[in-house]
Amino acid sequence: MTKTLITNAKLIDPEGDSVALGALLIENGVISERFDTPDPSVSDADIVDAKGKCLAPGIVDIGVKVGEPGERHKESYGTAGEAAAAGGVTTIVTRPDTMPCIDTPEALEFIRRRANEAAPVHVLPMAALTKGREGREMTEFGFLMDAGAVAFTDCDNVVRDTKVLARAFTYARSLDALVMGHPQEPTLSKGAAVSSGKFATLRGLPAVSPMAERMGLDRDIALVEMTGTRYHADVITAARALPSLERAKRNGFDVTAGTSMHHLTLNELDVADYRTFFKVKPPLRSEEDRQAIVAAVRDGLIDIIGSFHTPQDEESKRLPYEEAASGAVGLETMLPVLLRLYHSGELELPTLFRALSLNPAKRLGLAAGRLAKGAPADLVLFDADKPFVLDRFKLRSKSKNTPFDSARLQGKVLGTWVSGQRVYEA
C-alpha cells in the first residue's frame, strides 16, 4: 500500500481542542505520523496538498436509517454510502427500524454482508431492543452482539411496559451492551406533529409538550440507576430535559446523550405554512430550546451530534402535515449545515468535531475520531468557507427529503478517506 502525505492542512483536533497548520502521513490504513510543519519532506509518498483547508477526523454518525431490507426504493447501502462519503461521514451506525426490523442474528448478518459489498464507508449495525420493536419480548442480545450489533434500540417505538424495559436494561448490563433510548413519554407524544405552543395552536396541528421528553428521559435514567446499564439518549431537544441529564452525569451514571443537526439549526417556526420536509421526530422546538441545546453541546453536556438520516419518498411527504412521514436526509448535508453554528460563533470547530467524531467513536469503543499517530486514517478534508446553494436533486441519496433545499450554505467537503483510501474527491 502506498503512503499518502496530506500537506498544508489546517488540522482540526477535537482531542487536543486545537486548530493548527500541519501535515499527516498515512500508511497501511492508519495515521503513521503527524507533523507540526505544513510541508514536511517524506520520500515515496503520494502528496495531497490541502491548500490550507481544514482536515478533521471523519464523522461517526449514530442513528442512520437505510432502507434495506424492505424499503430499498428509499435508500440502499450503495446510495447511503456514497452520500456519507460526500458528506465526510466515514462510519455510519445504522438503525434497526427496517421492514422487517433487525431483531435476529440472521437479519443482522444479511445487513453486514450487504453493507460491506455496497458502501465505501464503515457500517456498524444496531439491533432491535425487543422483537419486532413491539415492546413485549427482548431480543437475543448475546447472539446479536456475536453477529456484530454495536447497540440496541427500538428507535422511536418507545417501550411502554416499564417492567419489560427494566428486564432489557438488566440483560444489557450483564453483557455490557449499550442501550440507546428515545426519550419521549409515549402516550403524550402519540400522534403529535409539532411542539405545543402558540404556533401549534395557530396552525391547528396536534402537538406535544417538551415535557414529554423530560418524562421519558427521567424514566430511562431511573432504570439506569436501578440496573447500572450503559445508556445513550438518542435525541435531546428540549431545555427542560437538560437538568435531568446533568444530574445523571453528576451522579456518575454511565449516560451519554445526543442531538440532531436539525434541532441545532432549525426551530418550530421553520415549519411555516405546513412544510412537511421540516417534519422530524421529535418535532422542532422553540428558538429558546434550540439555543439551550447548542449551549449544551458547547459545554459538553450533550456529547454527540447525529444526522438521524431518515429517507422518505415524495409520496410519504406530499401529504397533509399531520399525515406526512417524519424525517429528513442528512448524511451529505450535515457538515455544511452544522458549519452555520461555526460561522455564527456558536461552536468552535474542535467542539463541533468532538461531538461529530471523537465522542461517538469513544461511546462505541472505536479508535476513530482522532488525529493522533496510530489512529485510523478516517479523515475529511473540507473548505469551511466555500459558499453554495443546496440543490436537493443533486444529493446522492435516493430520497431527496431535506429541509435545506435552496438554502445558502457555507462549507464544502473536498475529500474523504476511509482506512487510508480516498473514497470521495470533489
Side-chain angles (χ1 to χ4, degrees), residues 195-204 268:
S195 295
S196 59
K198 182 179 178 181
F199 177 80
T201 304
L202 289 172
R203 291 294 182 271
E268 60 188 352

Side-chain angles (χ1 to χ4, degrees), residues 3 26 40 143 195 209 294 301 304 310 370 378 424:
K3 294 188 289 188
I26 301 169
F143 292 145
S195 295
S209 168
V294 171
L301 181 58
I304 292 168
T310 304
R370 302 176 299 129
D378 296 343
Y424 174 75

Side-chain angles (χ1 to χ4, degrees), residues 14 20 40 46 58 76 178 185 209 216 220 282 327 336 345 374 401 426:
D46 294 334
S76 69
L178 177 65
E185 201 293 313
S209 168
D220 287 0
N401 55 306

Side-chain angles (χ1 to χ4, degrees), residues 29 58 129 131 152 173 181 194 261 283 364 402:
L129 190 71
K131 292 182 179 178
F152 295 87
R173 174 68 183 91
V194 290
M261 57 181 275
L364 296 171
T402 173

Side-chain angles (χ1 to χ4, degrees), residues 23-355:
L24 292 181
L25 180 64
I26 301 169
E27 290 183 89
N28 300 319
V30 301
I31 298 169
S32 61
E33 198 65 58
R34 174 174 166 173
F35 302 94
D36 293 329
T37 55
D39 196 14
S41 177
V42 176
S43 60
D44 304 324
D46 294 334
I47 306 296
V48 176
D49 187 355
K51 298 178 180 178
K53 306 307 180 190
C54 300
L55 185 66
I59 297 168
V60 179
D61 193 3
I62 297 180
V64 173
K65 170 76 177 283
V66 179
E68 296 187 62
E71 295 178 300
R72 200 168 186 271
H73 65 288
K74 292 185 179 181
E75 192 79 284
S76 69
Y77 276 98
T79 55
E82 289 173 13
V89 178
T90 53
T91 300
I92 58 177
V93 183
T94 58
R95 306 198 310 250
D97 54 342
T98 49
M99 299 172 58
C101 75
I102 310 302
D103 60 0
T104 65
E106 293 79 12
L108 195 75
E109 183 58 40
F110 165 78
I111 287 303
R112 289 190 66 195
R113 197 164 55 244
R114 281 287 304 131
N116 288 334
E117 289 170 0
V121 300
H122 304 298
V123 179
L124 302 176
M126 295 189 286
L129 190 71
T130 63
K131 292 182 179 178
R133 295 171 56 239
E134 294 174 349
R136 293 199 291 264
E137 187 180 354
M138 288 183 295
T139 54
E140 291 286 355
F141 291 7
F143 292 145
L144 286 161
M145 289 174 75
D146 289 343
V150 295
F152 295 87
T153 178
D154 276 355
C155 306
D156 58 356
N157 269 23
V158 179
V159 177
R160 293 170 180 268
D161 190 326
T162 303
K163 184 171 282 189
V164 170
L165 192 59
R167 287 173 179 157
F169 275 39
T170 302
Y171 188 22
R173 174 68 183 91
S174 70
L175 296 169
D176 197 31
L178 177 65
V179 174
M180 189 164 93
H182 182 71
Q184 287 293 314
E185 201 293 313
T187 307
L188 274 178
S189 56
K190 184 179 180 182
V194 290
S195 295
S196 59
K198 182 179 178 181
F199 177 80
T201 304
L202 289 172
R203 291 294 182 271
L205 292 170
V208 60
S209 168
M211 281 301 290
E213 182 172 299
R214 158 87 173 273
M215 293 163 71
L217 183 62
D218 281 341
R219 181 185 72 152
D220 287 0
I221 288 172
L223 291 175
V224 170
E225 183 176 4
M226 186 173 86
T227 62
T229 197
R230 297 168 59 221
Y231 174 82
H232 176 71
D234 63 352
V235 190
I236 298 295
T237 64
R240 287 175 174 175
L242 296 175
S244 297
L245 178 61
E246 192 275 331
R247 193 161 52 247
K249 290 191 167 190
R250 191 174 66 244
N251 288 337
F253 302 154
D254 195 349
V255 169
T256 52
T259 192
S260 89
M261 57 181 275
H262 301 105
H263 292 91
L264 287 169
T265 56
L266 302 170
N267 66 35
E268 60 188 352
L269 301 181
D270 287 302
V271 170
D273 291 322
Y274 311 102
R275 298 162 72 189
T276 58
F277 277 30
F278 289 79
K279 185 180 180 184
V280 294
K281 271 189 183 177
L284 294 174
R285 306 299 193 188
S286 69
E287 176 61 13
E288 291 75 18
D289 279 320
R290 187 197 72 80
Q291 290 178 2
I293 298 304
V294 171
V297 172
R298 185 168 58 242
D299 298 340
L301 181 58
I302 289 179
D303 308 88
I304 292 168
I305 302 171
S307 71
F308 291 89
H309 178 84
T310 304
Q312 303 286 8
D313 53 25
E314 298 285 319
E315 292 76 10
S316 303
K317 281 289 188 182
R318 301 296 186 190
L319 292 170
Y321 197 90
E322 293 174 48
E323 301 169 27
S326 295
V329 294
L331 282 169
E332 197 171 342
T333 57
M334 177 159 59
L335 184 54
V337 165
L338 290 173
L339 284 171
R340 284 178 165 183
L341 301 174
Y342 162 67
H343 291 297
S344 65
E346 294 174 274
L347 293 179
E348 296 296 325
L349 287 176
T351 304
L352 190 58
F353 277 89
R354 181 184 70 200

